């Protein structure tokens, strides 16, 4: 009886603590790319809930409008802009509008990614390979580079890259996508070392298998059941599981952390 009561208490504490929010990001401004749905939207929402002013962005105007309206309806301080991260002018407009509306930038979350083919590595067409590495890796670097003039004016600047458990696990069906996400781990390490002396922190999140539109092929039907069985916690993650990690890394609670990757995977192996 005592053990059952104790376990119930732990479960209740966990449930309550997961809904608790604080104001760790009060006065800070954040950009989150690809933030109108899924993990990106959850990150944008959590940062705003913790007090940040957040610039939401994605490729489609209708998606940006819908996301901004939803977040503003909750009393959150957000704005939005169309941004295809592969277009230089869109990236410029993203930073310009953020400075114009919010006065500067403290947090950059590079979340945009593509996977146009569900194929093994050597079945990946050249065009798909180029697209994956352009958006997932090159554009992440360009966003980081182009954010520096604003971040260098911040008192507590940080960058967060979104990688994947595919960077660690041998998920052969994800082919080139997995390789691109592994490349982000290297980008994170070198960027962090390059910017540490300036006080700009750079960290990475490696989400496990999270239930979103992006992961439907892995989480639905018989494939989903087989995939779930490989997760020690026996459940798929949800976007909020990643948003809470992002909020921590963006906050001063992580002031002495840079060059690290936090794997939020439900226990899936995450070491190279």
């Amino acid at each position: 009886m005592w053990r059952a009561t104790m376990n119930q208490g732990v479960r209740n504490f966990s449930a309550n603590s997961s809904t608790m929010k604080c104001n760790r990001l009060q006065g800070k401004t954040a950009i989150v790319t690809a933030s109108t749905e899924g993990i990106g939207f959850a990150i944008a929402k959590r940062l705003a809930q913790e007090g940040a002013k957040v610039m939401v962005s994605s490729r489609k105007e209708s998606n940006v409008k819908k996301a901004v309206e939803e977040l503003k309806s909750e009393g959150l301080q957000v704005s939005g802009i169309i941004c295809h991260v592969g277009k230089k002018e869109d990236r410029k407009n993203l930073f310009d509008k953020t400075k114009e509306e919010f006065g500067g930038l403290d947090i950059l979350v590079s979340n945009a990614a593509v996977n146009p083919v569900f194929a093994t590595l050597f079945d990946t067409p050249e065009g798909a390979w180029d697209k994956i590495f352009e958006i997932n890796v090159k554009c992440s670097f360009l966003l980081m580079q182009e954010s520096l003039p604003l971040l260098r004016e911040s008192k507590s600047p940080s960058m967060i890259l979104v990688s994947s458990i595919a960077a660690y696990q041998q998920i052969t069906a994800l082919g080139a996508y997995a390789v691109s996400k592994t490349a982000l781990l290297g980008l994170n390490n070198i960027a962090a070392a390059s910017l540490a002396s300036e006080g700009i922190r750079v960290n990475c999140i490696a989400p496990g298998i999270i239930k979103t539109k992006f992961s439907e092929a892995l989480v639905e039907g018989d494939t989903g059941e087989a995939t779930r069985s490989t997760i020690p916690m026996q459940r798929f993650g949800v976007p909020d599981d990643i948003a809470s990690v992002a909020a921590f890394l963006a906050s001063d609670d992580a002031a002495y952390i840079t060059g690290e990757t936090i794997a939020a995977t439900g226990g899936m192996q995450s070491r190279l």
Side-chain angles (χ1 to χ4, degrees):
M1 172 68 78
W2 176 81
R3 179 172 294 177
T5 302
M6 181 183 71
N7 289 342
Q8 183 64 45
V10 170
R11 285 194 294 270
N12 288 341
F13 173 78
S14 298
N16 291 336
S17 64
S18 68
T19 60
M20 292 171 61
K21 301 295 186 296
C22 51
N23 292 316
R24 292 181 294 183
L25 305 179
Q26 195 71 41
K28 296 188 178 185
T29 295
I31 286 174
V32 185
T33 62
S35 50
T36 58
E37 60 185 15
I39 289 173
F41 180 79
I43 291 174
K45 182 176 180 178
R46 179 60 181 264
L47 299 187
Q49 286 174 331
E50 293 213 16
K53 296 170 284 188
V54 180
M55 184 62 70
V56 171
S57 68
S58 80
R59 294 177 296 171
K60 296 183 179 180
E61 182 178 8
S62 59
N63 290 349
V64 172
K65 183 179 179 181
K66 179 181 178 183
V68 169
E69 287 178 350
E70 181 175 341
L71 295 173
K72 282 189 172 181
S73 72
E74 299 183 25
L76 303 176
Q77 194 169 356
V78 302
S79 186
I81 188 173
I82 298 170
C83 181
H84 186 312
V85 296
K87 297 180 178 179
K88 183 175 182 178
E89 189 63 27
D90 278 13
R91 296 194 306 270
K92 181 180 184 302
N93 290 339
L94 174 65
F95 293 117
D96 287 348
K97 183 171 182 180
T98 301
K99 183 175 183 179
E100 177 186 335
E101 293 208 15
F102 297 140
L105 179 66
D106 305 287
I107 303 157
L108 172 69
V109 181
S110 179
N111 175 62
V114 297
N115 186 33
V117 293
F118 193 73
T120 59
L121 183 64
F122 295 108
D123 288 329
T124 304
E126 181 179 358
W129 177 278
D130 290 343
K131 184 71 172 178
I132 288 168
F133 274 81
E134 178 189 3
I135 300 300
N136 298 6
V137 183
K138 179 182 176 181
C139 290
S140 290
F141 161 72
L142 291 173
L143 283 163
M144 296 167 78
Q145 185 181 56
E146 292 161 0
S147 72
L148 286 175
L150 292 178
L151 289 179
R152 283 173 172 147
E153 297 176 1
S154 169
K155 293 181 180 179
S156 56
S158 68
M159 301 177 182
I160 299 171
L161 300 172
V162 179
S163 179
S164 169
I165 186 60
Y168 297 98
Q169 293 272 334
Q170 295 177 336
I171 307 176
T172 57
L174 292 178
Y177 175 83
V179 179
S180 75
K181 290 299 186 175
T182 305
L184 288 181
L185 304 186
L187 177 60
N188 179 63
N189 291 340
I190 299 300
S194 301
L195 296 172
S197 63
E198 298 186 58
I200 300 175
R201 297 186 300 105
V202 185
N203 290 291
C204 188
I205 305 171
I209 301 172
I210 310 299
K211 289 194 73 172
T212 64
K213 289 182 181 178
F214 196 82
S215 65
E216 281 179 347
L218 291 174
V219 303
E220 299 296 333
D222 293 340
T223 300
E225 288 305 311
T227 304
R228 191 199 310 272
S229 70
T230 68
I231 304 171
M233 289 184 70
Q234 292 293 297
R235 74 168 177 89
F236 296 120
V238 295
D240 284 347
D241 291 323
I242 309 307
S244 59
V245 178
F248 164 69
L249 287 174
S251 76
D252 292 339
D253 285 344
Y256 199 52
I257 299 176
T258 194
E260 296 296 334
T261 298
I262 295 181
T265 66
M268 295 179 74
Q269 193 274 336
S270 55
R271 293 293 179 270
L272 286 173

